[in-house]
Amino acid sequence: MSETGQFGRITLPPEQQRAIRRAVKWEVFTIVYTSITIAVIALVVGNSQAMRTAWIEDMLSLIPQIAFLTALIFVRRRPTLTHPYGLHRAMGVGHLVAGVALLAVGLNLAFESAVGLVAGEHPTIGTVVLWGHTIWLGWLMVAVMAVVIIGPVFFYGPAKAKLAPVLHNKLLYADADMAKADWQTTVASIVGVLGVGAGVWWLDGAAAVFISLGIIWDGFRNTRAAIVDLMDQRARTYDSKEAHPLAADIVAYLRDLPWVSDAAVRMRDQGQVFHIEAFVVPRRRKVTVHDLTRTAEGVAALDWKVQDVVIVPAEHLPDEADTGR
């Protein structure tokens, strides 16, 4: 990653530059950690449907990190004649790819698990010989899954959750949210394995269905969030829970200008940065280029996420524009 902090047409403030560097480190760490856990689980997965589903879920969890690191290569590039708004949408495209992949695989896993459950397939878990002792493989499965959960729940999940709002990055937030929820997958797989050991065969299939539903939910909400952002919905916060407060701040700034009577904005989220169309009703009939230029600079200075600003003098404010009220 470049050390200049270049991000489209702007240079990131020091806090965001540090956050980007930390996010990249955590994403690389996650890929390495998850790759190791995938290899370890492969050694003990056996015939448990719950374990196989959790194993595939681990593989799918690599998609957001790969999408983030790939998108970051593009969003740092300066705008060109071919891409006058820059390549910030790459982060949204990565978000969509991750969501669709999770949704598709989750649906397939849920179908296979449900069919096995309805068909009454009785899973079997055998034994292995370690250091001269015969051990039920289920105990190894439980031990592995209990260790695997440490990374996402206690380390990189919370770390990414702290960085996502600093960078206004929804893909990073979704990645952190999925990591923090991994304990449910682990508990479900352990319950399924112990159920088989106790003779309750259907617990394994039920756990697999439960894990699949979690994957489907992650895929659905990430796909939905990515699509509505790519369709230029009103800019929202990093967790998509509410309208972004920057719109109201910009409107308040514009209304405080002596030559502006009223104002409203249309704010478009391009991935991590915003494109602003600011509509202003002037108090006088003549507006100078100097006024427009100073106003655009003032809006851009409000927040690092303001990537493009267009000031539009108008007799009336558009009905769909955000008036900050």
Side-chain angles (χ1 to χ4, degrees), residues 105-190:
V105 178
L107 287 170
N108 185 54
L109 290 173
F111 177 76
E112 289 183 356
S113 302
V115 168
L117 193 60
V118 172
E121 294 177 358
H122 288 52
T124 57
I125 299 178
T127 58
V128 294
V129 178
L130 288 178
W131 301 292
H133 300 279
T134 302
I135 301 174
W136 181 52
L137 186 58
W139 292 125
L140 295 181
M141 296 178 181
V142 172
V144 167
M145 296 308 289
V147 173
V148 162
I149 197 59
I150 295 175
V153 174
F154 298 104
F155 291 106
Y156 58 77
K160 294 176 189 176
K162 292 179 182 176
L163 295 172
V166 178
L167 296 169
H168 184 69
N169 191 294
K170 294 180 181 179
L171 178 55
L172 190 63
Y173 176 76
D175 185 13
D177 204 33
M178 290 167 55
K180 288 193 297 181
D182 258 5
W183 68 269
Q184 298 169 359
T185 299
T186 303
V187 171
S189 61
I190 290 174

Side-chain angles (χ1 to χ4, degrees), residues 58-80:
D58 256 18
M59 297 180 193
L60 292 174
S61 69
L62 289 172
I63 297 175
Q65 296 101 53
I66 295 172
F68 176 87
L69 294 174
T70 303
L72 199 57
I73 296 172
F74 294 95
V75 300
R76 302 176 68 84
R77 296 179 180 175
R78 292 181 180 277
T80 63

Side-chain angles (χ1 to χ4, degrees), residues 62 78 95 111 170 180 229 234 238 241 246 261 264 268-269 311 316:
L62 289 172
R78 292 181 180 277
H95 194 186
F111 177 76
K170 294 180 181 179
K180 288 193 297 181
D229 276 346
R234 180 187 189 187
Y238 68 94
K241 291 183 178 177
L246 180 59
S261 171
R268 179 184 302 162
D269 191 335
I311 306 296
H316 306 286

Side-chain angles (χ1 to χ4, degrees), residues 189-203:
S189 61
I190 290 174
V191 169
V193 170
L194 294 179
V196 173
V200 188
W201 65 269
W202 56 265
L203 263 181

